[in-house]
Amino acid sequence: MVYWNNKLGKYRAMLTNEELARHLPPTKLATKVNIHGMLEKYHTLYLKPNHGTGGMGIFKLSQHGNYYRLQNGTRSRTFTTFDGAYAAFAKAKVKKIYLVQKGIPLLHYQKRPFDLRIMVQRSPQRKWEVTGIVGRLARPHKVVTNYHSGGMPMQVDELLAPFVPRAKQAPYINLLNTLGLRISRHMSGIFPRSLAYGVDIGIDKELKPWIIEVNTMPDKYIFNALADKRMFRKIMRYVELTKNKGMMEKQ
């Protein structure tokens, strides 16, 4: 099977790995039938472009008793019928191909949801290595956490402090890093040219990590927004070393 380098293609590629599949929220093409069926089952969904980065164009659709809420950016609209909510979404998305994904009830910090970005890179020795992990706290009233959509980069230990005792944080973060490595090793067998992956992980109230998305061209500069620059310096050093190594191999 051919796996295209888009969100749905990467999702389907990860589904073939039994361990990774346990961490994947159900995701389908955003047809009206699929959206309606998943909304009946999960009550909260995310609608996202099959192509695109930075959290642009993402909608949150939720059902609350006898009404529906559609959110995009900081704008929120309510509808008395599913057909009304779907029509508004269909008009806004124009002709883009969208996916529908089960909404994960993310942990909140100061009443705002957050997720994590794990940076995994090829080392100069061609081994996969976690070179950074950063939290992304959503702006007030926003449905996405992405840095380029206003998400605030934060140290992971600070975000996890209300939920994971300090003595258990290192083993828990190690578990997340191991998941990031497992994803990268699996995906590199399908997309062998990638030198880095940005793995977006959401955490629910039971502390289960969910794979929200995997980026094959991850933003590095979110790490530069942290006061501690050690991760950013290592990430950039690996970028330069692997670039130079690649140039030498071509000569």
Side-chain angles (χ1 to χ4, degrees):
M1 180 180 288
V2 175
Y3 297 102
W4 300 106
N5 194 0
N6 54 41
K7 291 184 176 71
L8 187 60
K10 287 181 280 190
Y11 171 81
R12 288 174 172 169
M14 287 186 285
L15 267 185
T16 64
N17 182 292
E18 185 177 343
E19 175 60 30
L20 299 183
R22 288 196 282 266
H23 296 275
L24 288 169
T27 303
K28 298 179 180 181
L29 281 172
T31 65
K32 186 175 182 179
V33 170
N34 285 344
I35 295 171
H36 186 262
M38 289 179 67
L39 192 61
E40 289 283 308
K41 187 173 183 179
Y42 303 120
H43 305 296
T44 300
L45 306 173
Y46 282 90
L47 305 163
K48 54 177 67 176
N50 193 29
H51 294 85
T53 59
M56 304 300 292
I58 293 179
F59 294 80
K60 180 180 180 180
L61 177 62
S62 51
Q63 184 176 3
H64 306 267
N66 59 355
Y67 73 92
Y68 301 82
R69 176 178 291 145
L70 183 67
Q71 296 171 262
N72 174 239
T74 57
R75 186 185 183 191
S76 177
R77 289 177 287 171
T78 58
F79 302 86
T80 56
T81 65
F82 169 77
D83 285 345
Y86 178 79
F89 161 68
K91 182 179 180 181
K93 80 180 183 70
V94 197
K95 295 182 179 180
K96 289 184 179 179
I97 297 173
Y98 264 69
L99 306 181
V100 54
Q101 186 175 79
K102 175 187 175 182
I104 302 304
L106 297 176
L107 294 180
H108 282 57
Y109 181 86
Q110 296 179 351
K111 299 182 179 180
R112 292 147 62 187
F114 70 86
D115 62 14
L116 309 177
R117 161 63 62 89
I118 302 173
M119 177 70 84
V120 189
Q121 293 174 275
R122 287 277 196 192
S123 72
Q125 292 75 38
R126 301 291 295 173
K127 294 182 179 180
W128 288 108
E129 183 179 335
V130 174
T131 50
I133 180 169
V134 62
R136 305 185 304 181
L137 183 66
R139 282 181 58 188
H141 312 297
K142 274 229 172 184
V143 300
V144 297
T145 60
N146 303 68
Y147 179 46
H148 293 288
S149 294
M152 179 187 299
M154 292 186 64
Q155 295 287 353
V156 174
D157 55 354
E158 184 177 354
L159 290 172
L160 291 179
F163 312 101
V164 182
R166 191 159 295 277
K168 295 183 178 181
Q169 280 195 15
Y172 186 74
I173 293 172
N174 185 59
L175 180 150
L176 298 175
N177 288 341
T178 299
L179 179 59
L181 286 170
R182 185 175 288 120
I183 291 166
S184 300
R185 288 168 183 152
H186 176 73
M187 296 296 278
S188 66
I190 299 166
F191 304 106
R193 294 186 178 183
S194 294
L195 296 175
Y197 289 102
V199 179
D200 295 340
I201 297 291
I203 303 172
D204 67 19
K205 294 175 183 177
E206 282 71 48
L207 298 182
K208 177 177 177 176
W210 292 90
I211 306 166
I212 297 175
E213 199 170 303
V214 176
N215 300 274
T216 51
M217 298 180 65
D219 173 39
K220 302 171 285 293
Y221 292 94
I222 183 175
F223 292 90
N224 195 36
L226 296 172
D228 186 338
K229 306 294 182 184
R230 285 177 294 179
M231 286 188 290
F232 178 68
R233 287 196 290 266
K234 183 173 186 177
I235 288 166
M236 297 308 295
R237 186 168 74 250
Y238 274 33
V239 169
E240 290 302 315
L241 288 172
T242 53
K243 184 193 300 181
N244 292 338
K245 186 177 178 65
M247 290 176 64
M248 291 175 63
E249 289 174 350
K250 290 179 182 179
Q251 292 176 354

